[in-house]
Amino acid sequence: QDPLVESGGGLVQAGGSLQLSCRASIRASIRALSAYVITWFRQAPGKEREFVGGISREGQTMFSAESVRGRFTIARDNANNTVYLLMTSLKPEDTAVYFCAAGGVVTSLPQRYMIWGRGTQVTVSS
């Protein structure tokens, strides 16, 4: 059950930037991502999966944590069937596995989403 694929993670120094991508798996038969609300979650070892933000079908974005507002941006590239999470001014506390999920409504509860990727690791060093 991994119809979505995240990419772009890696190791960066604090203050650096990363752009994560969310795309449909080549073996998944799902609608174009433009048909879904796309959300990003992250999960650090030993912690609950945390809602980061989402983007509506109309392109409106929302972020749940003040700690990421002003640093993270979500954007759609419908021509390439891709949703991006651009992260700047990264901090060590941003270290986590980042997941994208697709659904019909925005919610902070990961249980509400049925379409997921396996995640991509983001590590921010001091």
Side-chain angles (χ1 to χ4, degrees):
Q1 295 181 332
D2 54 339
L4 301 179
V5 179
E6 304 91 342
S7 62
L11 173 64
V12 298
Q13 273 274 19
S17 300
L18 282 175
Q19 181 175 277
L20 307 184
S21 299
C22 178
R23 299 182 174 92
S25 170
I26 58 174
R27 63 180 178 272
S29 296
I30 62 174
R31 292 173 288 171
L33 298 191
S34 60
Y36 302 95
V37 168
I38 303 296
T39 55
W40 289 91
F41 291 79
R42 65 185 182 185
Q43 187 168 21
K47 295 186 177 180
E48 294 289 324
R49 191 164 296 188
E50 176 190 16
F51 176 76
V52 175
I55 186 167
S56 73
R57 298 174 183 87
E58 296 76 23
Q60 297 177 341
T61 58
M62 60 224 78
F63 298 91
S64 66
E66 185 65 30
S67 61
V68 309
R69 292 171 187 169
R71 299 190 298 121
F72 290 11
T73 302
I74 302 175
R76 290 185 180 273
D77 183 354
N78 291 339
N80 291 293
N81 200 24
T82 303
V83 175
Y84 298 103
L85 176 65
L86 176 62
M87 305 181 293
T88 62
S89 300
L90 284 164
K91 305 174 181 179
E93 50 263 46
D94 294 319
T95 295
V97 177
Y98 283 72
F99 303 85
C100 64
V105 297
V106 176
T107 176
S108 63
L109 299 176
Q111 303 95 313
R112 297 283 188 88
Y113 294 91
M114 301 302 295
I115 303 174
W116 287 88
R118 293 183 178 180
T120 185
Q121 177 71 50
V122 171
T123 303
V124 185
S125 62
S126 300

